[in-house]
Amino acid sequence: MVNIPLNVYVAYFEKGILNFGYVIAQNNNRLEVINETGNYVVLPESRIILQSKERYLEIEPYQALPNFINQVNLFEEQFQESDFHFLKEKECTLQEIATELNLQTDVQIFALFKYLHNHPKEIHRKKNKYRLKTPEEITQYQLQLQQEEEERQFLQDVNAFFSGAELSRESQHKLYNALPELQTAKKHKKLKELILSKYPLLKPEEAILEFRKFCGETPEYIDPVIANAGIPIGFSSLLIEEKLLPWKATKPQAIAFSIDDESTKDFDDAISITKDGSFWHLTLYVSSVSERLNLEGALFAEAKKRVSSLYTANAVIPLFPFNHSEQELSLKKDSVRPVLALNLWLDENLAIQHYELSRMNITISENYSFNEIDQQIEQEPFSTLYRLSKLLAEKRGANSFSEKEHYYYYISASEQGLEVKCVDTQSPARKIVEELMILYNSYLADYAVKKNIPVIYRNINQFEDPKDNFLSLQAYLSTEPEFHPGIGANAYLHSTSPIRRYVDLINQLQISAILQGKNPPFSKEELEKDIPLLEKRIYDIREIAHKSERYWVLKFLQQNCQNIPLETYFRTSIDDYLNFELIPWGFIITAKSESYPKTERCKIVIYKVDPEQGIVWVDII
């Protein structure tokens, strides 16, 4: 609206609130307006959304304006909802509505505009045209109002929290859900503004991280790679206190043991093996996490968001809160737990003759470490299990490996500091667990194919370059089974770690439902819809874990290896950076140096380390 004359009444919005005013002066397309509080405001003409048709030469406009507004309010009260039924059939402008209702005076037109503005529940406005809302639109508007009120109350609670008040369980849960997204998505704008206002001297990313620590969602000991990655870390009280579903605690049908790393606390699989004449009965058990979860509950939604547990040098960021993952769901020694069991019958040559899946309860007799089993490998039943694992590996062509694959090293934090730990991937105990878990996954995939159960398979793409004779393998998720070259099976899936991986949990849910005579909770189409997001999150977690590992390697070097000659292999150079592999650990570091290595194998001396940038400075000797 342009060329607004003096001495007219106008309507304009100020911070979303409808205001009326009276124009007393104009200068360069800017209007001086007296408002209903008697104050003067200067507005560009574009801010005016309605003006009176007549001019009012008011001697004392600050007194006349309230009188005009009172007349508008009185006339507005005369409108009835039934007056606007014609707007159900068509869209109309303000003037068209006024004509339909035979409204002519400025007071009537202003009252009409105010009524239309004050009834957004029933009246839809777009591009200065109005119509009555549909029942669906009214319901949506009411839901929006409810959400806005909840958001207002939530922000009020968070603001009070800064001053020492306690958050309700619901507000804390909502806050914990929102905080990671502040780092990765353009969401929760008002919450972000509130947090930044409390830390005016910090950069936005620093302020958000500081608040995540302040409210307890991110513990101080979490490394900066994880803390800045924008992934959920802590669990709200609502999640920690959510009750798991009860399970039918019948008499245990078997006694089993687990084999895992000595530091493991979340045991999700177990084994039992007995001999019956010349036959062996081998059963593999996986904690029945799916039986204990409410699919409409917050825990299940959180697991889908997290996708996978994350293990770092000094912390575990689990899929479920520790009181669930390390207690109620874990196959701990002396506990009775529900499991999804794979029963296998083997002949005297350990060839598998038959299999069955079943749900049952078991007692856990022992949580063995890999080292403990390695020391008892000549004893039964471990010697038979080791013999079986070698036969299974041979059958799928997995007995050949390079010396580099034999060991891998990782950084672990303890009270004594950081240390390098070595894992023998070919130790008897690890081969037993590896082959038996592959067996479990293979047979569950076979069962899903035969029963036409919608599950998430793990397939492999192979890319071969005939010139370089190079074979590249890339895993991907699909609801359609394909031959898995690494396993040698026509179908393969993951289902042995439902405490640690969401995909394993989904597959267990689907198969367990069939065993109970129920329909699977998710259709094939629903799983297909989720796969792209799951793959992205799995990839992100893998990248974050890799960067965290590199951070802790540099922290270890900073604490233990500066100014000491180190054996390395020179790998590549990119721009001004050199990549070295540290012998014998295999850790890859990115370095800057004033010289260039003359041979592939060389010694370096680290004299400066920046773990957060991921760079070391070295002399080549």
Side-chain angles (χ1 to χ4, degrees):
M1 190 173 295
V2 293
N3 299 321
I4 296 173
L6 302 181
N7 310 125
V8 294
Y9 290 111
V10 294
Y12 62 94
F13 284 105
E14 187 71 41
K15 295 182 178 179
I17 298 174
L18 179 63
N19 287 276
F20 293 149
Y22 178 81
V23 180
I24 61 173
Q26 184 183 46
N27 184 23
N28 294 329
N29 293 325
R30 298 186 72 81
L31 306 174
E32 187 176 341
V33 176
I34 186 170
N35 63 23
E36 50 200 274
T37 63
N39 294 320
Y40 293 90
V41 293
V42 177
L43 303 170
E45 290 187 342
S46 59
R47 288 277 301 280
I48 304 304
I49 55 175
L50 181 64
Q51 71 177 71
S52 60
K53 293 184 290 185
E54 296 184 24
R55 298 173 68 179
Y56 297 82
L57 300 175
E58 309 288 7
I59 298 173
E60 296 179 323
Y62 60 89
Q63 293 181 348
L65 179 59
N67 180 55
F68 178 80
I69 293 173
N70 285 336
Q71 293 180 59
V72 169
N73 292 341
L74 288 172
F75 198 89
E76 181 196 8
E77 294 174 2
Q78 299 177 31
F79 288 117
Q80 304 292 326
E81 190 175 334
S82 58
D83 295 338
F84 300 93
H85 279 177
F86 64 94
L87 289 177
K88 185 180 288 187
E89 307 297 331
K90 58 181 180 179
E91 287 186 330
C92 295
T93 63
L94 181 69
Q95 186 55 52
E96 289 169 342
I97 298 172
T99 301
E100 182 78 25
L101 298 178
N102 195 28
L103 305 178
Q104 298 178 357
T105 69
D106 288 322
V107 166
Q108 292 173 333
I109 302 298
F110 272 65
L112 173 62
F113 181 83
K114 188 175 181 185
Y115 179 90
L116 296 173
H117 171 73
N118 286 343
H119 290 76
K121 175 184 173 184
E122 300 89 6
I123 297 173
H124 176 273
R125 177 190 178 190
K126 185 175 181 181
K127 294 183 179 179
N128 295 322
K129 287 193 174 184
Y130 302 84
R131 64 169 171 80
L132 289 183
K133 288 183 175 178
T134 64
E136 293 78 15
E137 287 175 321
I138 292 174
T139 300
Q140 182 63 35
Y141 178 75
Q142 291 173 324
L143 178 61
Q144 180 183 339
L145 286 183
Q146 179 183 341
Q147 291 172 341
E148 289 175 355
E149 174 56 26
E150 290 174 354
E151 178 71 6
R152 186 197 66 77
Q153 184 61 53
F154 167 66
L155 293 172
Q156 183 176 311
D157 290 349
V158 174
N159 191 44
F161 176 66
F162 275 105
S163 302
E166 286 191 18
L167 284 171
S168 67
R169 288 199 324 156
E170 291 70 22
S171 289
Q172 186 205 43
H173 183 64
K174 185 172 182 178
L175 178 63
Y176 277 30
N177 276 332
L179 285 174
E181 293 181 333
L182 290 179
Q183 294 174 298
T184 59
K186 294 181 179 179
K187 294 183 178 181
H188 316 292
K189 181 180 178 182
K190 291 182 179 179
L191 174 61
K192 184 175 182 179
E193 290 173 353
L194 174 59
I195 293 172
L196 297 186
S197 71
K198 302 298 181 179
Y199 300 96
L201 301 180
L202 298 181
K203 296 177 181 178
E205 60 272 17
E206 294 172 341
I208 294 167
L209 179 54
E210 194 63 32
F211 181 66
R212 289 184 74 174
K213 293 178 180 178
F214 171 75
C215 70
E217 192 273 340
T218 298
E220 290 284 349
Y221 58 79
I222 296 297
D223 70 57
V225 172
I226 305 296
N228 290 307
I231 62 172
I233 297 174
F235 291 90
S236 68
S237 297
L238 187 146
L239 290 169
I240 293 170
E241 296 168 10
E242 182 175 324
K243 298 295 184 183
L244 298 179
L245 297 178
W247 51 283
K248 194 173 181 181
T250 57
K251 182 179 179 181
Q253 297 160 267
I255 298 176
F257 58 87
S258 70
I259 308 174
D260 221 311
D261 192 84
E262 59 186 10
S263 63
T264 297
K265 296 179 181 179
D266 51 349
F267 304 100
D268 47 22
D269 55 77
I271 305 164
S272 72
I273 183 169
T274 56
K275 194 169 187 181
D276 183 7
S278 60
F279 282 81
W280 292 93
H281 181 203
L282 169 66
T283 308
L284 309 178
Y285 311 95
V286 172
S287 176
S288 191
V289 179
S290 60
E291 264 185 76
R292 308 298 311 280
L293 286 182
N294 175 8
L295 300 192
E296 302 300 321
L299 271 177
F300 185 77
E302 185 73 12
K304 183 176 182 179
K305 184 169 65 175
R306 292 179 178 241
V307 173
S308 172
S309 296
L310 178 58
Y311 297 84
T312 74
N314 74 330
V316 176
I317 302 170
L319 191 66
F320 299 105
F322 290 117
N323 59 311
H324 298 317
S325 63
E326 296 183 359
Q327 299 295 327
E328 291 189 76
L329 299 174
S330 183
L331 303 183
K332 295 174 59 182
K333 180 181 178 180
D334 297 330
S335 65
V336 177
R337 295 285 186 262
V339 292
L340 180 57
L342 170 65
N343 297 278
L344 297 155
W345 286 267
L346 296 76
D347 64 19
E348 59 186 358
N349 297 317
L350 301 182
I352 298 169
Q353 303 299 308
H354 177 64
Y355 84 88
E356 287 180 4
L357 292 180
S358 62
R359 296 166 52 250
M360 63 171 69
N361 298 330
I362 63 169
T363 298
I364 305 300
S365 63
E366 194 64 59
N367 296 130
Y368 290 111
S369 70
F370 291 122
N371 289 336
E372 289 174 324
I373 298 301
D374 286 340
Q375 292 170 11
Q376 303 176 58
I377 201 63
E378 300 298 328
Q379 302 175 25
E380 290 292 359
F382 311 123
S383 61
T384 296
L385 289 173
Y386 186 39
R387 186 157 57 96
L388 173 61
S389 70
K390 290 191 286 187
L391 291 171
L392 293 171
E394 182 179 0
K395 184 178 179 181
R396 66 185 189 89
N399 272 337
S400 60
F401 56 90
S402 67
E403 185 62 27
K404 190 172 182 179
E405 293 172 320
H406 198 138
Y407 301 99
Y408 79 83
Y409 299 83
Y410 66 96
I411 304 297
S412 178
S414 66
E415 293 180 359
Q416 289 70 42
L418 299 177
E419 58 180 330
V420 177
K421 288 199 171 183
C422 176
V423 172
D424 180 359
T425 65
Q426 305 304 314
S427 80
R430 289 184 183 273
K431 294 307 292 182
I432 288 171
V433 172
E434 178 184 6
E435 293 302 328
L436 293 187
M437 294 306 103
I438 289 174
L439 197 65
Y440 185 96
N441 288 333
S442 299
Y443 274 100
L444 261 66
D446 180 72
Y447 184 82
V449 171
K450 288 178 178 176
K451 297 292 183 179
N452 198 28
I453 306 171
V455 294
I456 300 177
Y457 296 98
R458 190 174 190 271
N459 297 335
I460 296 291
N461 269 333
Q462 298 188 75
F463 304 95
E464 187 170 1
D465 187 337
K467 292 183 180 179
D468 297 333
N469 195 26
F470 178 74
L471 182 65
S472 175
L473 303 177
Q474 182 179 8
Y476 68 97
L477 304 179
S478 175
T479 57
E480 294 291 338
E482 291 186 7
F483 179 76
H484 194 295
I487 306 301
N490 289 324
Y492 191 71
L493 54 72
H494 277 172
S495 194
T496 56
S497 294
I499 296 177
R500 305 173 188 175
R501 295 190 300 234
Y502 177 77
V503 170
D504 297 47
L505 172 62
I506 289 296
N507 288 334
Q508 187 186 82
L509 270 169
Q510 300 291 89
I511 293 171
S512 184
I514 294 296
L515 293 173
Q516 296 176 67
K518 301 176 183 178
N519 290 325
F522 299 101
S523 68
K524 181 178 179 180
E525 290 71 26
E526 288 173 315
L527 296 182
E528 286 176 343
K529 184 179 178 181
D530 282 344
I531 282 175
L533 181 59
L534 293 176
E535 287 192 315
K536 182 182 184 307
R537 288 178 177 172
I538 290 169
Y539 174 82
D540 289 343
I541 288 291
R542 191 180 296 126
E543 286 296 299
I544 292 166
H546 174 70
K547 291 176 181 177
S548 174
E549 179 183 30
R550 185 169 60 185
Y551 169 84
W552 286 106
V553 165
L554 295 191
K555 288 291 287 185
F556 170 80
L557 295 176
Q558 187 179 51
Q559 294 177 15
N560 301 281
C561 299
Q562 290 198 77
N563 303 313
I564 298 173
L566 299 173
E567 293 281 351
T568 71
Y569 288 114
F570 170 61
R571 291 305 183 201
T572 59
S573 63
I574 301 175
D575 297 328
D576 295 330
Y577 297 97
L578 308 174
N579 289 329
F580 294 95
E581 178 185 334
L582 300 179
I583 300 172
W585 306 318
F587 301 147
I588 304 295
I589 60 170
T590 300
K592 298 198 79 170
S593 176
E594 294 182 357
S595 56
Y596 196 86
K598 297 178 181 178
T599 58
E600 181 187 23
R601 184 158 181 164
C602 58
K603 287 185 178 182
I604 63 171
V605 172
I606 298 173
Y607 62 87
K608 181 182 175 183
V609 182
D610 188 333
E612 296 197 25
Q613 285 192 40
I615 303 171
V616 301
W617 283 259
V618 305
D619 287 327
I620 299 171
I621 58 176

